[in-house]
Amino acid sequence: MASPPPSLEKVPSFADDPSPKEVPSSDEAISLTISHHGAPHMFRLPATSTILDLSAEIQTTLSIPPASQKLLVPKLGLLKPPFAPTPLTTLPSKKIQLLASTPSEIAAVSAPRTASPLRSSSPLKAATPSKRHDWRKAQDEATYTFHTLLALPYLPDPERSRRYLARLRDDAGIKAAMRKHKFSVGVLTEMNPAEHTTHESRTLGLNRNRGEVIELRLRTDAYDGYRDYKVIRKTLCHELAHNVFGEHDRNFWDLTGAIEKEVERGDWRNGGRAVSNEEFYDPNDRGEDGHVDGGGWSGGEFVLGGGGKEGSGGADGRGGMNRRELMAKAAEERMKRQARTEGGSGS
């Protein structure tokens, strides 16, 4: 009697499984790409390795302890320490992003900052409020000032004269005195030396109608430069006193002296020092050979001295002119000079 055939065990084949999975052997290796701070790092571990083995390899290679590691695995999410012994073969992706700081970065952040020598050697000072803008002072300076600067256009280099007048207007001492006495002057202008020079005297300054117009003798008699700044400023103090007193009486001279002291004291820029020789010069000028004025003008008449008569206005024929008339006169003289220049060039 024939023995039955031996039973055959079915060997699994890939044909029986529509989606076979390759199970790596123990002697194979797994390659992973770890991205850290934008730089890729390749790791090759045995197929039996787990997340714990990968974490230890990262510590060996990048010097990042496991406690500081966070692994972002696509389709799996963020893995945080302590890690589970998950086999690397089960990871859905072999490209992993490492979120961690290096020891040097951690040390730089946690290290105490050293104070500078100046700060460490001196005690901390209490906070003080910042300086606020003095709006009242700014408003007063805009009110009590010389509202128009007028250089004579028919004299050489009128722009230079305008800068001289601007320096007087912006002089810290002059500004302080103007604010204190509430002086407001319509026009500050220069005078033509030739029109205010006689055999007997040289006029240095004039005040018309108590501050409507103040004229100053800026230029030298030869028109080759400008007179000493301090002399001109002292003359301006004299003329400002005529805003209050017309006659040269005791009250006038007391006010003039007070204004001069206030200007010197209020000028924090070294007591109103003269500017360089390039701008204004004639260091020998002391103003001793001329008289400041014949008194304050009022309605075209000298209040005191000078022999002036009402409406005469002195040698230049401009006495008693108000601000508008003075500016119109300057424009007229400028047009005449331009006409003479054009006529000379056309001949």
Side-chain angles (χ1 to χ4, degrees), residues 333-343:
E333 291 171 339
R334 182 171 62 252
M335 293 175 63
K336 289 181 180 180
R337 185 184 179 195
Q338 183 178 358
R340 289 195 300 270
T341 302
E342 293 177 353

Side-chain angles (χ1 to χ4, degrees), residues 44-264:
R44 190 173 180 84
L45 290 87
T48 57
S49 300
T50 64
I51 294 293
L52 291 174
D53 299 322
L54 176 60
S55 176
E57 190 67 20
I58 291 175
Q59 180 181 16
T60 302
T61 306
L62 301 180
S63 301
I64 300 176
S68 302
Q69 300 175 15
K70 293 181 182 179
L71 302 176
L72 183 59
V73 183
K75 299 181 182 180
L76 186 60
L78 184 64
L79 305 180
K80 301 180 180 180
F83 299 110
T86 305
L88 297 179
T89 56
T90 63
L91 298 181
S93 175
K94 301 301 185 288
K95 293 184 179 179
I96 302 174
Q97 186 174 0
L98 173 62
L99 306 178
S101 299
T102 62
S104 59
E105 294 172 342
I106 297 176
V109 173
S110 58
R113 296 184 178 180
T114 57
S116 61
L118 291 179
R119 292 183 179 179
S120 61
S121 59
S122 59
L124 294 178
K125 296 181 179 179
T128 56
S130 59
K131 294 183 180 179
R132 295 183 299 175
H133 184 71
D134 192 344
W135 296 106
R136 178 63 181 273
K137 179 180 178 182
Q139 182 179 4
D140 288 347
E141 288 184 349
T143 303
Y144 307 116
T145 184
F146 305 94
H147 297 283
T148 301
L149 304 180
L150 182 62
L152 297 181
Y154 56 87
L155 295 182
D157 201 357
E159 177 58 27
R160 191 175 180 186
S161 293
R162 194 203 66 79
R163 294 198 303 269
Y164 200 129
L165 295 172
R167 177 175 172 81
L168 289 168
R169 177 198 61 193
D170 299 332
D171 187 292
I174 292 293
K175 292 170 69 175
M178 298 279 283
R179 291 195 311 272
K180 178 177 180 179
H181 297 278
K182 302 186 184 303
F183 289 150
S184 179
V185 177
V187 177
L188 179 64
T189 184
E190 65 171 322
M191 63 170 54
N192 188 347
E195 297 173 348
H196 291 272
T197 302
T198 65
H199 292 291
E200 292 82 14
S201 65
R202 297 162 62 244
T203 303
L204 305 181
L206 291 173
N207 184 325
R208 304 180 187 275
N209 298 332
R210 300 206 173 197
E212 186 174 9
V213 179
I214 290 182
E215 298 182 48
L216 297 174
R217 190 187 191 104
L218 305 183
R219 302 173 185 264
T220 60
D221 294 346
Y223 298 90
D224 57 352
Y226 287 77
R227 303 176 60 240
D228 180 73
Y229 179 79
K230 283 192 174 182
V231 174
I232 299 299
R233 192 174 67 167
K234 191 172 183 178
T235 302
L236 180 56
C237 295
H238 180 109
E239 299 306 330
L240 286 174
H242 277 308
N243 285 4
V244 181
F245 301 106
E247 298 184 1
H248 289 146
D249 56 12
R250 186 70 267 163
N251 293 330
F252 169 83
W253 290 115
D254 289 344
L255 179 58
T256 300
I259 294 175
E260 290 176 354
K261 292 179 180 178
E262 292 162 3
V263 169
E264 290 289 341

